[in-house]
Amino acid sequence: MSRAIPVWDRLVRISHWALAATVAAAWLTHEGGGKWHEWLGYASLALVAVRVCWGFAGPRRARFASFVRGPAATIVYARSFLARREPRYVGHNPLGGWMIVALIATVAAADLTGWLYTTDRFWGVEWVE
């Protein structure tokens, strides 16, 4: 019988679900959402900033260093996963760690380009849209 191991602290859990909610709500308001859409973008960017800071200063399991592995370890894990012999991890495995990095980067990029689109300089610029 396995026992539950608390992995993620309260800030990680709250910021995770708040980020999911703000991204979903921003997506739902992308057409005609006006200020709601804009403020949801700012909120998700703030949540990303908090999570990045917490990823360097938070408790052990919240830190990026505890679950983001180098390329060699990630490739070894990916091969073992494909062979269905992957080891188990408490928290994120190496591929999951890089998924977190990709998720944070994607949300930050969407938020930043959304903000750029509100500026006079980048209004209507195709690559920003």
Side-chain angles (χ1 to χ4, degrees):
M1 186 164 157
S2 63
R3 64 183 179 97
I5 301 171
V7 177
W8 311 116
D9 62 272
R10 195 175 307 255
L11 180 67
V12 170
R13 289 174 189 265
I14 290 169
S15 64
H16 168 87
W17 287 110
L19 183 61
T22 57
V23 168
W27 182 78
L28 289 170
T29 60
H30 77 281
E31 295 272 340
K35 288 293 180 187
W36 278 105
H37 181 76
E38 189 175 328
W39 283 103
L40 287 162
Y42 293 139
S44 66
L45 186 58
L47 288 164
V48 164
V50 166
R51 181 60 185 102
V52 168
C53 291
W54 201 240
F56 291 105
R60 181 174 64 100
R61 292 233 165 95
R63 291 180 186 223
F64 298 126
S66 75
F67 62 83
V68 177
R69 308 282 195 276
T74 304
I75 290 169
V76 167
Y77 178 81
R79 286 182 180 148
S80 68
F81 175 80
L82 291 172
R84 297 183 141 187
R85 293 189 311 268
E86 73 274 10
R88 299 290 179 220
Y89 287 82
V90 175
H92 293 297
N93 62 49
L95 289 174
W98 282 105
M99 184 277 309
I100 296 300
V101 171
L103 175 74
I104 288 171
T106 301
V107 172
D111 291 337
L112 291 172
T113 56
W115 169 74
L116 283 175
Y117 206 66
T118 67
T119 65
D120 289 338
R121 181 174 180 163
F122 292 103
W123 174 257
V125 174
E126 190 174 325
W127 72 266
V128 175
E129 186 178 359

